[in-house]
Amino acid sequence: MANGSNATTTRSLDITGRVGDRYASVLTPEAQRFLADLQERFEPERQRLLLRRVARQQQLDAGVRPDFLPQTRDIREAAWTVAPIPPDLVDRRVEITGPVDRKMVINALNSGANVYMADFEDSHTPTWENNLDGQLNLRDAVRRTITFDNPDGKHYELDPSIATLVVRPRGWHLVEKHVQLDGVPMSASLFDFGLFLFHNAHEQIRRGTGPYFYLPKLESHLEARLWNDVFIHAQAALGIPSGTIRATVLIENVLAAFEMHEILWELRQHAAGLNCGRWDYIFSFIKTFRSDPAFVLPDRGQVTMDRHFLDSYVQLLIRTCHARGIHAMGGMAAQIPVKSDAAANDAALSKVRQDKLREVHAGHDGTWVAHPGLVPLAREVFDEHMPGPHQIGRVLDPVTITAADLLAVPDGSITEPGLRHNVDVGVRYLEAWLRGTGCVPIYNLMEDAATAEISRSQLWQWAKHGARLADGRVVTRELIRTVLREELVKIRSHLDAAGILPEALDLAARLFGEMVEHDAFTDWLTVAAYDHV
């Protein structure tokens, strides 16, 4: 088979999405057999792990608090390291992230960042066309043939020197509804990963790099083990050396924070580090402890990285990675450059600078930005305070992080402006997502699915537990409903300026309201909205 695939299944995929001439070169018969083989082999374990998530949540809802696993103490306390770092991942001081549309891919690779994380997940609306166009764009980028001509006549192509490409597939909880095997939708993780690997692994190796990935939304080391099993099989099926695939895991779930050593252990042949996925981590804190009134968080703007539970998570991640000889990556500052207002731009850049200073002083080996205009600032900070390619060998003060540290609920207030902001941003983001845009600048911040998840989950949590606003009023569903109606009036008054579609806004408001008002917590905004794209 093409690319040396040794996939053995004879079962075929049922593809309901449009293929035609445009996507036939991606969904080749050989690629489909490779995907079918992955789905046949690994879907049963994926389902078992998803059921394990449900059972674990039931325990948490019953009041069981998470802790470090006693059965894996030996792994945490033993001396071991992961596989040596590939040369083009040694220096990761600035990474830019963004969706996989053609112009973004070129701009990100040309941005001056060390790494570009091409995202099929939180900054990406997974329409069939977006997913397949993204695969085409990355295939062309790997081969350095990608170009783009803007309607205004501007031409885009790759510079001679570009960032190292890392791809983020969708999480284990998601499916690709347009592809089925025996009537079962395919794992979105395996679809995104498998298509990219099949078409690009050999070409990347030939060019002196490799197939590198970011793994999102893991909740346990067993989910990392499944990814490792997928890697081992996929490498053998494509005839590439074992250990060629490298993966950085986003620690964006509070339960995964208790299993960082174990996650690296499971992936040790393929590990490229851990990353502080801060926005999803805050969302997971709400989602995980949703039934406990003791875990109610204040306004999103008050949950900053200097809070004890977040600072403890950062310190634990850095020390875990460095003990295992691998990178500890920082997270995303949401601010973006403000071209129209010099004072606002200065304020935004100041916040970014302070955030990156915090990260480099803490011991991170690199950081994330969402906009090419922030690459020079992030690089300046890390160049000044991290003269080497990373800080893995830096001696840090010894710190013991306990379960109580990771579960310390920050104090603060819940305010009407904070409530209104959650409603406004949540609806605006969901409207954009429904019309195919998964990464949206709102009020000079880059919002993606993670920040929208915080917005709607906070509203649900506040109403669920009858939290009080700073002025003494109780947050009720009726109050949120009233605020939603009022904020919609404001949004509708500026439809043209914001590019908002009335029908998408109406649907977004309905879905958002339903998720906030459901008695049962909706686990994932993107799952609830997926049937509508």
Side-chain angles (χ1 to χ4, degrees):
M1 293 184 183
N3 292 330
S5 173
N6 295 313
T8 57
T9 185
T10 58
R11 298 158 75 184
S12 60
L13 297 174
D14 179 20
I15 298 177
T16 61
R18 180 177 60 87
V19 178
D21 293 338
R22 178 167 179 78
Y23 301 138
S25 64
V26 177
L27 291 167
T28 61
E30 295 86 358
Q32 289 190 46
R33 283 195 288 272
F34 182 66
L35 292 178
D37 181 52
L38 293 179
Q39 177 70 3
E40 182 177 16
R41 289 174 184 272
F42 298 108
E43 176 66 9
E45 180 63 8
R46 184 182 80 93
Q47 290 295 342
R48 190 186 74 80
L49 290 172
L50 293 179
L51 289 174
R52 184 178 183 273
R53 285 187 181 185
V54 174
R56 200 173 188 188
Q57 186 61 54
Q58 290 172 344
Q59 293 178 326
L60 293 160
D61 290 343
V64 176
R65 299 282 177 86
D67 205 340
F68 297 97
L69 302 177
Q71 64 268 34
T72 55
R73 180 187 297 273
D74 288 349
I75 291 175
R76 293 194 299 276
E77 295 181 352
W80 52 270
T81 57
V82 303
I85 304 167
D88 56 345
L89 289 179
V90 169
D91 191 335
R92 302 175 63 177
R93 67 187 57 228
V94 182
E95 300 191 344
I96 188 169
T97 73
V100 288
D101 62 89
R102 202 162 184 87
K103 181 179 173 182
M104 175 67 195
V105 169
I106 297 171
N107 284 341
L109 289 171
N110 287 345
S111 66
N114 300 73
V115 167
Y116 161 45
M117 189 200 75
D119 191 19
F120 286 96
E121 209 229 5
D122 271 1
S123 66
H124 170 84
T125 301
T127 66
W128 179 245
E129 291 76 16
N130 282 355
N131 292 339
L132 272 294
D133 284 341
Q135 292 284 350
L136 283 170
N137 295 339
L138 295 185
R139 187 187 67 181
D140 291 349
V142 167
R143 289 157 179 79
R144 303 291 187 99
T145 61
I146 187 170
T147 61
F148 177 76
D149 292 303
N150 221 37
D152 64 6
K154 186 175 181 180
H155 177 74
Y156 296 80
E157 60 184 36
L158 292 181
D159 295 336
S161 178
I162 60 173
T164 297
L165 178 64
V166 179
V167 176
R168 176 162 72 169
R170 285 168 283 176
W172 280 132
H173 61 293
L174 297 171
V175 297
E176 176 48 66
K177 64 183 179 182
H178 300 95
V179 179
Q180 297 185 351
L181 184 67
D182 295 339
V184 177
M186 183 169 184
S187 160
S189 302
L190 296 178
F191 180 81
D192 297 342
F193 161 82
L195 264 189
F196 178 82
L197 188 79
F198 182 85
H199 288 294
N200 299 294
H202 285 278
E203 181 68 19
Q204 288 180 298
I205 294 168
R206 189 181 72 81
R207 291 177 176 269
T209 182
Y212 305 145
F213 297 91
Y214 256 107
L215 305 181
K217 305 293 188 291
L218 268 64
E219 297 190 13
S220 75
H221 70 284
L222 299 179
E223 296 179 12
R225 180 181 298 172
L226 176 57
W227 267 119
N228 199 66
D229 290 343
V230 171
F231 295 163
I232 290 170
H233 173 73
Q235 288 167 144
L238 294 180
I240 60 178
S242 185
T244 301
I245 294 172
R246 291 305 177 93
T248 305
V249 175
L250 288 137
I251 302 298
E252 49 192 358
N253 181 281
V254 66
L255 300 178
F258 289 89
E259 302 182 31
M260 287 194 256
H261 287 281
E262 293 89 334
I263 287 170
L264 286 177
W265 172 259
E266 296 294 344
L267 289 163
R268 60 194 180 278
Q269 184 185 12
H270 301 103
L274 303 177
N275 177 291
C276 283
R278 65 175 75 169
W279 303 114
D280 266 303
Y281 192 84
I282 294 169
F283 162 58
S284 86
F285 200 81
I286 301 168
K287 175 177 177 283
T288 301
F289 304 113
R290 60 204 185 205
S291 299
D292 193 333
F295 281 83
V296 173
L297 294 185
D299 283 0
R300 164 186 158 182
Q302 300 175 33
V303 187
T304 50
M305 293 304 294
D306 59 351
R307 293 308 192 101
H308 185 76
F309 81 111
L310 292 174
D311 180 61
S312 299
Y313 145 72
V314 166
Q315 292 192 56
L316 180 60
L317 184 142
I318 292 169
R319 285 160 175 78
T320 299
C321 288
H322 290 181
R324 307 310 177 189
I326 201 62
H327 293 72
M329 301 301 300
M332 179 79 73
Q335 292 79 16
I336 56 177
V338 186
K339 296 180 181 179
S340 60
D341 186 330
N345 188 61
D346 289 344
L349 295 184
S350 177
K351 289 180 179 179
V352 174
R353 180 180 294 277
Q354 292 306 311
D355 183 68
K356 303 314 171 191
L357 282 169
R358 176 192 57 79
E359 289 181 326
V360 74
H361 288 318
H364 279 295
D365 304 294
T367 190
W368 273 16
V369 298
H371 192 283
L374 296 179
V375 170
L377 173 58
R379 180 172 296 283
E380 176 189 332
V381 172
F382 270 78
D383 283 352
E384 180 180 355
H385 299 281
M386 191 180 79
H390 50 67
Q391 302 191 79
I392 295 172
R394 175 181 163 191
V395 178
L396 299 172
D397 294 336
V399 174
T400 299
I401 303 297
T402 67
D405 292 315
L406 295 174
L407 302 179
V409 180
D411 58 7
S413 58
I414 301 169
T415 67
E416 181 180 334
L419 187 152
R420 288 186 178 276
H421 185 75
N422 278 345
V423 170
D424 183 21
V425 169
V427 171
R428 284 178 185 271
Y429 176 80
L430 186 52
E431 183 277 333
W433 192 94
L434 288 167
R435 57 181 162 86
T437 302
C439 189
V440 190
I442 304 175
Y443 304 127
N444 302 325
L445 298 176
M446 190 61 76
E447 306 284 354
D448 66 5
T451 49
E453 291 282 33
I454 295 173
S455 294
R456 64 95 182 175
S457 63
Q458 279 205 308
L459 295 169
W460 185 94
Q461 184 189 48
W462 293 344
K464 163 76 173 177
H465 297 298
R468 289 188 178 273
L469 296 177
D471 61 15
R473 286 178 293 163
V474 176
V475 179
T476 63
R477 291 175 178 174
E478 179 56 40
L479 175 61
I480 296 172
R481 203 175 304 134
T482 299
V483 170
L484 176 57
R485 288 195 297 268
E486 294 171 352
E487 293 302 315
L488 280 172
V489 171
K490 298 177 186 177
I491 295 171
R492 288 192 177 105
S493 68
H494 298 91
L495 288 183
D496 293 339
I500 292 172
L501 298 178
E503 58 272 23
L505 179 62
D506 291 342
L507 178 57
R510 178 172 69 80
L511 292 174
F512 191 83
E514 289 173 352
M515 282 185 278
V516 171
E517 293 203 22
H518 277 166
D519 290 335
F521 184 81
T522 302
D523 281 345
W524 304 101
L525 176 154
T526 48
V527 171
Y530 187 39
D531 285 340
H532 300 277
V533 299

